[in-house]
């Protein structure tokens, strides 16, 4: 479980699509279900496309841990921020990952704070 605590940050910070798919294969189930306010999608390719769109819309921004992650049995609760590498995040959120067979099977992302500008 510990190697999966920051797995989503590794995936969402990887700007190279091929490298991202390799990381996803290591840490996400093949049929991972990702859910956020925009809806749900299933599988590595659709999730990788979503990540690419997000990264393309915010060049230079990175995801960083904000606070401590918590593990409870097969559930990971990991707060994060998204913004410039050396500045305050412009968005904060929480990922909740459900783990099955050693990989993240379901990932829920909830935005908890966005700075309007």
């Amino acid at each position: 479980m510990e190697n999966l605590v920051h797995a989503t940050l590794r995936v969402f910070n990887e700007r190279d699509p091929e490298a991202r798919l390799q990381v996803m294969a290591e840490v996400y189930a093949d049929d991972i279900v990702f859910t956020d306010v925009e809806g749900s999608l299933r599988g590595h390719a659709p999730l990788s496309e979503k990540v690419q769109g997000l990264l393309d819309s915010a060049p230079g921004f990175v995801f960083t841990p904000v606070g401590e992650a918590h593990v409870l049995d097969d559930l990971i609760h990991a707060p994060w921020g998204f913004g410039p590498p050396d500045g305050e995040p412009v968005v904060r959120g929480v990922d909740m990952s459900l783990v099955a067979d050693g990989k993240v099977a379901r990932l829920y992302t909830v935005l908890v704070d966005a700075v309007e500008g």
Side-chain angles (χ1 to χ4, degrees):
M1 286 292 282
E2 288 304 312
N3 67 328
L4 295 178
V5 168
H6 296 296
T8 296
L9 293 181
R10 287 178 51 210
V11 169
F12 276 67
N13 278 324
E14 181 54 64
R15 292 185 178 273
D16 176 83
E18 291 302 316
R20 182 182 319 111
L21 286 170
Q22 288 177 353
V23 174
M24 292 173 94
E26 294 172 20
V27 298
Y28 287 168
D30 291 341
D31 61 346
I32 183 171
V33 175
F34 171 82
T35 303
D36 67 4
V37 69
E38 295 174 353
S40 294
L41 52 88
R42 181 182 300 269
H44 291 183
L47 181 51
S48 183
E49 290 174 18
K50 181 172 185 81
V51 171
Q52 191 66 50
L54 178 62
L55 293 174
D56 288 348
S57 73
F61 278 22
V62 295
F63 287 91
T64 54
V66 175
E68 205 173 319
H70 302 278
V71 176
L72 178 62
D73 193 30
D74 60 352
L75 181 69
I76 300 169
H77 173 276
W80 51 263
F82 185 59
D86 298 324
E88 286 294 312
V90 296
V91 176
R92 292 177 195 267
V94 173
D95 288 333
M96 289 165 281
S97 304
L98 184 62
V99 177
D101 298 323
K103 292 188 175 184
V104 175
R106 293 191 66 98
L107 173 61
Y108 301 90
T109 294
V110 178
L111 298 180
V112 294
D113 184 30
V115 177
E116 296 186 26

